[in-house]
Amino acid sequence: MPGQAPGVRIDGLTVVYKTPAGELPAVRDVALTLEPGTITGIVGESGSGKSTLALSLLNAVQPPGRIAAGSVDIDGLGDVVGLRGEELRKARGKHVGYVFQAAQNSLNPLKTVGKQVLDLGRSHGVEDLRGLVRDARELLGRMGLDGARVLDSHQHELSGGMRQRVGIMLALVLNAHLVVLDEPTTALDMITQANILKIVREVHAERGLTTLVITHDIGVVAEVADRLAVMYGGRLVEQGPTRQVLGDPRHPYTKGLIRAIPRLTGDIAEARALPGRPPTLTTVPERGCVFRDRCELRMDVCDTDDPAAVAHGDRIVACHAVKVREHA
Amino acid sequence: MTVIARRLAGHLARGIVMILVVATISFFIVRNIPGDPVAARYQKLLEQGMSPEAAERATAVMYGFLPEGTLWQQYTDYMAGLFRFDLGVSVTHPGSPVTSVLGEAAKWTVLPVLAGTLLSFLVGVIMGVYAAIKRSGKLGDFLAISGSLLHGVPQYVLALLMGAIFTTLIPILPQGGTADILFEPGFNAGYIGSLIEHATLPVVTYALASYGGWILAMKSSVVTVLGDDFILAAELRGMRRSIIFRYVARNAILPLFTILALSLGLLFGGAIFIEKIFNYPGLGFLLIDSVVNRDYALMGGAFLLITAAIIVANILADLFYTVIDPRVRSGEEASA
Amino acid sequence: ACSGSGTPTNQSSSGGGGGGLFTTIDVNRPGIDASGPANPYNPKGNSFLGYNAMKLAWVKNHLTDPNQFYPGIAESWEIAPDNSAITIKLQPNNKWSDGKPVTAEDVRLSIGIAYTQGSTAFAITPGAAGAAADVEVVDDKTVKVTQDMTNPSSKFARGVLDTFVAPAHIWGSVLPADFWDKLKASRGEGADAEKAREEITALGEKIITFAPEKDVSAGPFILERVNPGEALLVKNKEFYNAANVAPDQVKFLNYTGNEQIWNYLISGKLDHAGFTAAPADVMNRIKQAPGTNIIKGFSPVAVGMAFNQTKKPYDNVHVRRGLAYLIDRAEVTKVASPEGGNAAVTTSGIHQKPAQEWLGAELNSLEPYNPDPAKAEEEFKQAGLQKKDGKWALADGSPWKVTMTAPSGFSDWISAQENIKGQLVEAGVDAEVVTVADYPLYLEEIAAGKYDVGFWLIALGPAPYDIYQRLYGASNGWTNVAGKIKHAEPGKSGNWMGGAEKVEVDGTEINPGELTGKLNSVSAEEAKPIMLQLAKAANQDLPVIQLWDYVNTQFTNTSRFTGFPEQESDLLRLPAGVWIQLGMVKKTP
Amino acid sequence: MSSAILETTSTAATMRRNFWRGVWRVMKRKPSRLVGAVIVLGFTFMGVFGPMFYPEVLPRDTSQLYAPMSAEHWFGTDGQGRDVLAQVITGSRYVLLSALVTAVITVVLGTAIGLFSGFKRGRWDTVLMRLTDMKLTIPGLPLLLVLSTVWSFGSALEMGLLLGLLGWGGVARAVRSQTLSLRERGFIEAARGLGLSTTHIVGKELLPSMAPYIAMNMLIAVTGAVYAQVGLFFLGVLPYEADNWGVMLNLSVFGGGALTTTAALPYMLAPLLAILLLTLGIVLVVDAMDEIFNPRLREE
Amino acid sequence: MITGEGIVKTFKQRGNVLGAREVRALRGVDFAIPKGGAASFIGESGCGKTTLGRIIAGLETYDEGELTLDGVPMSSLKPKQRQPHFRKIQLIHQDPYSALNPTRTIHQTLNAPLTLRAKQTGRSKAWIEERAAEVLSMVGLDPGSVLARYPHQLSGGMRQRVVIARALTVDPEMLVADEAVSMIDVSLRLGILALLKDLRERLGVAVLFITHDVATSRYIGDDGELYVIYRGQVVERGPVDTVIADPVHPYTQSLLSAIPVLHGLERPGEQPVTPVESMEAGQDESGCLFAPRCPFRGERCADERPLLQVTEGIPQEHACFYPERRSVVARPMSEV
Ligand SMILES: Nc1ncnc2c1ncn2[C@@H]1O[C@H](COP(=O)(O)OP(=O)(O)OP(=O)(O)O)[C@@H](O)[C@H]1O
Ligand SMILES: Nc1ncnc2c1ncn2[C@@H]1O[C@H](COP(=O)(O)OP(=O)(O)OP(=O)(O)O)[C@@H](O)[C@H]1O
Ligand SMILES: [Mg+2]
Ligand SMILES: [Mg+2]
């Protein structure tokens, strides 16, 4: 069924958290488009605002945070930011599936997986609950698990990798076509990670999904994503097709980040750490470029003006220096 | 289910050992108590105008109810009696076996304590959920502080205040007793009504006294559960509020069962004040009475019964926990 | 529940035929025990004196004569002039509540039971004063009891008539068939007698625990049911004077603390209540309750501040006198027992009222010990005490502190001691109040001589022997064994007061213990001079400082019933059940 | 060289100063905490200096028995005509002193046993925890009642000692579980790896991390002790002390009829209010404990 | 020089009443780390890396085998005597936050071991201050700004440096870095790795690096050895680059195949190996531990356990009956 995969357009999204120092933005003026049927990856270091952005897609930023501005337009749903109450609840799960980080517990410890599937079905008014359970079993089987056994299990009886697959199943069982995966493989070991990533890719293709993968591990996005967006200090500093961004990073942060990846092969001397340290909510400068403190290309204008995200062909980069060079 | 059976066996073994130890302790404490129950009665008779010789003779018969033999003999007799549920005879209730006196009193403790606990548990748990949800607001603050205060305030303070208000300032509730004797006991409106009327003050005071604890425990439990990822996950899966509420409630209430058992123990302790202040003829009252009258057998028995009740409550709570928490049931979690 | 006439009262009175419900408490027995048997011998039994528990006769509250009675099971009695025998005639048409007549057999059985329980007249101790020698059933309604004249007591008749009567057809089984033989054996000497005595005492236990299936009473009421808070009695139609018994039902309210009684009284719930100490404000509220009356009468009890004369400086009579001059007894009484006591006019060892009877004008010759700091100082100086920086110290200069002990829970005593402490401290005598956990412990420790100063009940009349036995009895060294008085050294055999064995009164040396022992058998006229001597001894020697005389204060409420005894009535120490059975109490029109 | 030493001492001093500044910040964050601190300090002052303001034997006025509240007698007088407020104040010393003793014993014993048990683990742990379980199961108040018949807890210290000996179970249990969890934390392991002594590890690493916990328990123990001993005196099973709060309650209710008429009501209310206030103060202060001892929360 | 021979460690989990569950964490591990050398342990989660690291650091006991430090076999010593030896080996924890006491400033944290050391060597107080500053400078921190701070006031990278500095206060001969960079921000990871390498070079401290990120193991020095561990057994061992470039054990090959490919920078290896999933497959103890998951298993694998060995034409040691080089790792694009 082509055309089921929805497109998503995020525009001007700003999310703030209330802190003793006032409301501080964790995501600032982010614009991002998820093309239907693609896998988009977002990378960023701890605290860069990835999870906050992901939650915004379901209008689920947890207090003391709130979406301060912007829109998240999802095909077939409209602007999620405007949704409230039942409408919003129905959208979650049915339209947008959300997969939690693996090691954390996204399952009710007191109920079997099967019962939670039923709860999900009841919540969304599914009439054919048997059918739903069957679907769940098939999905699990598809991901290489013994569906019947897993449905009969409690959370504590499943391993990390299995839980993660159950999470993916729960995100998909209601036929959501937009799936958000927040750190899907963190805390899993390499082999399990590879398996999960494989499953993500396959399920994405089979079911015709629009997928957003969020991670701090560039390797993960590089492995699965078609498009890649890099976050830093609450801003999207660069985005574009994965291969292009990795092969030819434009933004100085992206460059530095890629250079800082330890490599399995090649000259180890090429890899270098980025000086300085990533900002936190309280240390993000209020005005100007968030990266300037660690930037080699820092200019005066960086202190005063936020660099706008500018499209360069398929790529969008938010850097004064890049602009300057391009124009020069 | 074998886990339950195994746990039960372990608990029972430990419980029995506990009871034996407590029985031994209470036996030796109680036998070391100075003061003579017979002398007390003697003097009482004198005050009633009996002549000294007559009073002496009249009290001599009471010696028959005091235990005989060496301390060790008394001890073995006592322990042997324990297995036959025979705790000896009471001196102040001459001729009545301690067990029957305790049984009569226990009726009047168990019912109000259970009613009070249930009442406060229900209200406290609901308010605790509220306090957790509104924790950043004024209402939440108020609920939490009032909870801590009620939790911190001794029961007798509450009981005295309740007593002062409802029997002195606005005398609408009876002070003491269990039911009006004019009503034929049984299932008739008058008798039940009278029972309730007499139990109101103790029950409400029990409830008030433990309510603070519940609200605090429930609040912190709910806050913890609300912070758990699976709740956010359920929300993000679009689960109904009612279902999420159930998730929260079930997970949050679970740890409260352990506290429930402990609090039953505390209530039995607290029953002493409440029963004393409201003249309610329960176990606590009996205990004070036996202490004041130096009724060894009764004192030891009451103490033992109160302790045993706590042990049993603990066992029940743990079993209940085992039944409803799959993690414990499957033996994953080592006992905390 | 706030008013006495709630719904339940109305409900049942409609069935009762207009007699109504009489609500009361038994002040002598706090804590109704729902599981207690209807057994008058059981201290927690649900047998209420004068209501469903009957005695042969009821002892009058007389100032001096212990042998005056109101009829009970007995209609009349004849006492031999030398107290050697009493012949009792039973009520001619009295029946048990199950319809069986009350007979001399019932009385004989009850006397048998009385032996097992220990009683004054029916004692198995050989040589006990005032013990019966023989019981003889003269006919169906007549019993004759004779006294063993080897150690006679003037209170013999009282001992006999003050006996519970239980129905033989219900209780018969409690005594073995050979009981009377055993009793005979027990009155002798030797091992056999000893064994018999033991067996009889052992029977006592069985009797105490005896629980009749159903209450069978020869009194005006029968027990209907009990719960832990209340007991209900209903009228016994077979009672000889049933026609004159007004209430149809009697309700006993439980109480476990005085404050409960106060509440009952303030809400006008009780038709009658025995005395309970109450603070002034509470008393006022009680008086305000509609229909409330307070009847006062004689109560043969007084309280004294007793000294342990083995302890310094209390061995010195001047110290005791000095203290007596310092303590304002009126103030003490006002604080501690404003309604229930009258400040003692002096220390005579006798309650003020009988003192006038016994001593007459001589009473005024006693030193009244009115508060007088100057005299106190003089006495202290005589005792060799020194005054340093305004504080009295012992002769050797070491500090002196009057340590008074009281059992906790005795709020009037503690209040009194607190007050005395204040008075003494003001006068430069250091003082403190110490309490012990409870009364049994207090008794044990005071008898062991652990306290310097404690409170002690005295003047327990009306029998003259009983009055002085508290001052010159076992606690002061004199024991009465089979009519022989012996004196023990201070600190031995319960002699904690430690007073001198002989004192000089009016120039003659007397032995107060022996004199007291004599009081047991002498006639009233013979007793008078002895009483005077003893009063003088107590007054000058001050083994105790008499603080106040208790007053028997009773509360009644005339809203529902009238016809209660008058002020100072000799009925006042008897339970209201006796008033009712005598036909006094009537429904308020 | 010497300047370096000087520097260290001054850093220590600054740190201490910073600590107190942090405490002040924490207290200021919520006005309720300040109120709590003022109440607790007030009671401390009362306990230490209060009795000095009154003569050893309070003056009595027999014309004013159970006098109502007035400007002269804020909480009226008792049955001896003595000022009630004065009794509450002079009586606070006994109550607070024994509560303090209880708290110290509870906390010291509980912490020591909990630490030992959690740190040593193994057989000692099992034995100690069985003991603790048993202690926790035996109900405190009934046991106290029974004990009161054998021991009359004469002085405040004795009272505190006994309550303390009976009260350490909960603290031991809690400290043990804290120790067990802290033990697994990297910094304890690191300290062991560095060869630091057990004294250092326990004293400098473990205890400070548990400080809020211990402080909280200490304060709760104070209320618990006040509760228990006033309760015992109230029940009248303990020997009487003229101006003890519990005795005041007992006398007002069972002697003065505070639950019957209004005359003795102030006499009862005064100690009740004192207990309520003290509890409130402690509850409010406890609220700040976590933040005071956690440098992160303190500095923010 | 630190060597281990046949180290075995079995954990007995205190399960329920009926018997304990055994976990065989290490099944006879041999290793040798020369003075100033470098070694890396890699392997899946739960394979026993941490356990081994803790044994080497003296924080855990072992059941069989022998650990030799500088020629002294540890089993010959009493626990007390081992301590000074183990002090030469310092563990760097994975989580730099929990490794620092949150209630102590960096100054206090460093002072404690330094004071001890000063006492042992009779040095002055001033030396302590100096040395604290020195070790901080060594790890690239500015003593002036760091000393007075609490851990929470530092970033993850700085905290990890403080942890290393603290280890340096006792002049260790070896650092055991257990996943020392996995919780550090990506952009800073290399900094810590470079620091470790630098310490090796400057101070001659040996480094034992435990990780599941194979790539990082290259960064502590190219002379390092790589130990690949599977279920408590070393299955392949050799110079880092050799093992990465030419792994011969199917397990090593699976691990390396599982590393995500940076498409755009790299191209995938030609012969990726995907293991059969699920480790649960049989705890059979006789054959090759990896056999149940091995796509290349042969006949011998089922009944015989291969031991670490050197075979013809293969530079590294391995524990496989059918060793075969496969090109599994991704290659940089630039190499094309
Ligand atoms: N509840 C909250 N209150 C205050 N600040 C918050 C809250 N949640 C997140 N933040 C802040 O918002 C910023 C972004 O957080 P977010 O969780 O989106 O980051 P992230 O990129 O997902 O990080 P990580 O990789 O650690 O998950 C961080 O600086 C964080 O400190
Ligand atoms: N204290 C312990 N008690 C019981 N089992 C343990 C204990 N420590 C480790 N184990 C078990 O020993 C095995 C090896 O654990 P270890 O922590 O050494 O693995 P690891 O390789 O470090 O894993 P990871 O990569 O997840 O850190 C695991 O199965 C683990 O469950
Ligand atoms: Mg995140
Ligand atoms: Mg590990």
Side-chain angles (χ1 to χ4, degrees), chain A residues 17-19 26 44-53 62-64 101 183 216 280-281:
Chain A
Y17 282 102
K18 201 154 146 197
T19 67
E45 289 177 84
S46 179
S48 57
K50 306 179 300 286
S51 298
T52 308
L53 178 61
Q62 297 298 299
Q101 218 167 297
E183 310 260 8
H216 63 263
T280 63
L281 212 51

Side-chain angles (χ1 to χ4, degrees), chain A:
Chain A
M1 288 176 268
Q4 271 200 330
V8 179
R9 287 160 301 281
I10 302 171
D11 199 27
L13 186 72
T14 299
V15 183
V16 292
Y17 282 102
K18 201 154 146 197
T19 67
E23 286 201 325
L24 299 174
V27 168
R28 193 161 67 174
D29 195 19
V30 163
L32 176 70
T33 303
L34 309 185
E35 297 294 340
T38 60
I39 301 182
T40 306
I42 297 182
V43 280
E45 289 177 84
S46 179
S48 57
K50 306 179 300 286
S51 298
T52 308
L53 178 61
L55 286 171
S56 311
L57 251 68
L58 287 96
N59 191 4
V61 178
Q62 297 298 299
R66 64 179 180 94
I67 298 178
S71 62
V72 178
D73 197 40
I74 300 178
D75 288 346
L77 269 179
D79 185 1
V80 182
V81 176
L83 289 185
R84 287 284 173 276
E86 277 295 278
E87 260 181 304
L88 182 60
R89 181 178 74 74
K90 293 234 168 82
R92 294 173 179 171
K94 201 153 195 172
H95 290 269
V96 190
Y98 197 99
V99 182
F100 265 83
Q101 218 167 297
Q104 289 168 340
N105 315 314
S106 75
L107 298 172
N108 185 343
L110 299 185
K111 286 199 152 185
T112 61
V113 174
K115 288 222 177 95
Q116 295 184 60
V117 171
L118 290 178
D119 282 345
L120 190 61
R122 281 189 208 109
S123 293
H124 290 279
V126 176
E127 277 166 19
D128 180 12
L129 289 174
R130 277 165 190 278
L132 188 72
V133 172
R134 201 173 46 238
D135 287 352
R137 199 161 45 224
E138 272 165 24
L139 262 171
L140 289 169
R142 168 73 199 74
M143 293 187 272
L145 296 177
D146 175 354
R149 193 180 81 85
V150 170
L151 286 180
D152 247 355
S153 305
H154 285 98
Q155 175 201 264
H156 70 271
E157 293 162 314
L158 304 173
S159 73
M162 291 161 96
R163 286 182 210 177
Q164 189 60 308
R165 275 171 258 193
V166 169
I168 295 174
M169 178 273 285
L170 286 170
L172 294 176
V173 74
L174 289 172
N175 268 318
H177 282 88
L178 173 60
V179 177
V180 179
L181 299 112
D182 189 359
E183 310 260 8
T185 60
T186 307
L188 295 180
D189 65 66
M190 284 158 293
I191 295 175
T192 315
Q193 165 170 308
N195 270 308
I196 297 282
L197 292 181
K198 199 172 110 211
I199 288 167
V200 168
R201 234 182 298 123
E202 287 170 3
V203 169
H204 172 83
E206 268 168 36
R207 307 202 128 211
L209 308 174
T210 302
T211 306
L212 180 65
V213 177
I214 287 180
T215 176
H216 63 263
D217 187 347
I218 294 191
V220 170
V221 237
E223 180 81 45
V224 297
D226 306 315
R227 280 181 71 83
L228 170 62
V230 181
M231 273 194 101
Y232 188 81
R235 303 236 3 175
L236 274 186
V237 293
E238 177 161 10
Q239 48 178 303
T242 309
R243 281 164 205 260
Q244 282 185 33
V245 175
L246 285 182
D248 174 24
R250 294 279 174 81
H251 195 281
Y253 173 64
T254 319
K255 280 185 193 163
L257 193 62
I258 291 172
R259 199 185 310 130
I261 303 172
R263 297 293 178 72
L264 256 188
T265 50
D267 186 3
I268 55 170
E270 264 180 25
R272 228 171 306 130
L274 210 59
R277 52 165 150 152
T280 63
L281 212 51
T282 41
T283 57
V284 171
E286 225 170 278
R287 295 162 58 220
C289 176
V290 284
F291 185 61
R292 61 175 187 253
D293 283 344
R294 305 171 77 184
C295 185
E296 299 166 339
L297 308 174
R298 177 173 180 167
M299 301 180 297
D300 287 347
V301 63
C302 301
D303 292 353
T304 52
D305 291 6
D306 247 356
V310 177
H312 305 268
D314 260 355
R315 317 275 293 280
I316 302 171
V317 183
C319 177
H320 293 297
V322 172
K323 210 164 19 182
V324 169
R325 211 172 45 188
E326 221 55 20
H327 283 264

Side-chain angles (χ1 to χ4, degrees), chain B residues 22-192:
Chain B
V22 170
T24 305
I25 294 175
S26 73
F27 175 87
F28 283 103
I29 291 180
V30 153
R31 290 309 131 102
N32 274 311
I33 294 174
D36 180 350
V38 182
R41 172 131 186 91
Y42 168 76
Q43 202 69 20
K44 182 139 235 161
L45 291 176
L46 278 190
E47 284 158 43
Q48 287 170 11
M50 194 179 260
S51 79
E53 289 82 10
E56 202 165 287
R57 280 178 226 124
T59 45
V61 70
M62 284 178 77
Y63 280 108
F65 296 105
L66 295 180
E68 285 168 14
T70 63
L71 198 64
W72 176 245
Q73 237 171 345
Q74 286 182 27
Y75 176 67
T76 45
D77 285 354
Y78 185 77
M79 291 314 246
L82 208 59
F83 286 99
R84 284 178 272 118
F85 291 101
D86 170 11
L87 297 168
V89 287
S90 154
V91 177
T92 46
H93 297 66
S96 303
V98 166
T99 36
S100 77
V101 179
L102 286 178
E104 176 67 31
K107 272 203 305 229
W108 301 109
T109 289
V110 170
L111 288 177
V113 164
L114 278 187
T117 309
L118 252 119
L119 189 69
S120 70
F121 186 77
L122 284 180
V123 180
V125 159
I126 292 170
M127 286 304 172
V129 174
Y130 243 98
I133 293 170
K134 307 262 173 203
R135 65 184 172 284
S136 43
K138 282 251 167 2
L139 180 63
D141 255 1
F142 169 76
L143 282 174
I145 295 255
S146 70
S148 323
L149 201 62
L150 272 180
H151 182 59
V153 164
Q155 275 156 352
Y156 53 82
V157 172
L158 287 176
L160 285 175
L161 289 178
M162 294 288 291
I165 294 170
F166 292 107
T167 62
T168 307
L169 296 179
I170 333 167
I172 48 172
L173 288 169
Q175 203 206 23
T178 56
D180 195 309
I181 191 71
L182 292 179
F183 294 109
E184 189 85 44
F187 265 106
N188 57 68
Y191 181 68
I192 306 263

